[in-house]
Amino acid sequence: MLRGMTLLTLFACADPNQAEAPPSLDEFLHAAWVDFATEDRAALGDLTTLFAPTVDTAEFPMNGTFSDLTAEEAALVDVEGSPDPAEAAGFYLVDAVDCDHDALVDALTNPDQTEVFPESYEAYARTYDTDLDAFIAGDTDVVWWHTTYTVDVFVGVYTASIRAGAQRFEVDGAPGYATYTWAPAPAETEDPTLRLDQDYQIEVYWPDGDQHVHAYGMWRQFQTNDETDQDTEIIRNLIIDAMKDYFANTSAYCQTL
């Protein structure tokens, strides 16, 4: 899951292909969030089986913005206080990752994510709340964890704690995966103008030959100062470029296994 942003991306130009998500993708990401939260893996599998053929890999990468998380959708997770999800902007990226089945599961579940994303974290600690070995073995289709991580985003450092999980489901007779992340409380920072107040993420993977298609949706309320937040062009570019780095790092890690 996306954590940090690097100096190199700070001055990146907007991808000319950035666009509002097609309605089918927008609906898919929202429905996947709900199906994961309710642990309805049959519905998640059916949803993905229907959506996957509508995606044209020739158009990859697809990236841009999509609609806000609704109050009802946000209420599916426990968050400190009562933040308004409309304050968090939606960002998406759909592309392929060069991972076969076993490598993808390893990338998703490796407790030391600094091995997957070596440039992303100042500190990282993931603890599993349910049986990881049983999930990897296929004895259970759900695994949950919590993570505390620290990142340097050039203008400052923040530390966040998140809850997350992964689920396995069937996509047209083959295993698909989804991960789900949210921050129960705002990140901690030394600079009060650097804030990560809301963070919700849904990711869905389905097989495509020897690789997987990865549909990634994020709703984030983030600012680097009082004038620059998730609704400004520079932060939008930062977030989407960092999402692309995340995909590239995942592919690179899978190819080492």
Side-chain angles (χ1 to χ4, degrees), residues 99 102-110 113 116 126 250 253-254 257:
C99 302
D102 291 349
L104 177 64
V105 173
D106 188 296
L108 297 180
T109 61
N110 188 336
Q113 290 284 296
V116 188
R126 177 188 288 191
T250 301
Y253 175 77
C254 286
L257 301 176

Side-chain angles (χ1 to χ4, degrees), residues 111-130:
D112 184 5
Q113 290 284 296
T114 64
E115 294 182 353
V116 188
F117 309 107
E119 305 297 328
S120 296
Y121 301 103
E122 299 299 304
Y124 184 95
R126 177 188 288 191
T127 302
Y128 280 91
D129 304 314
T130 59

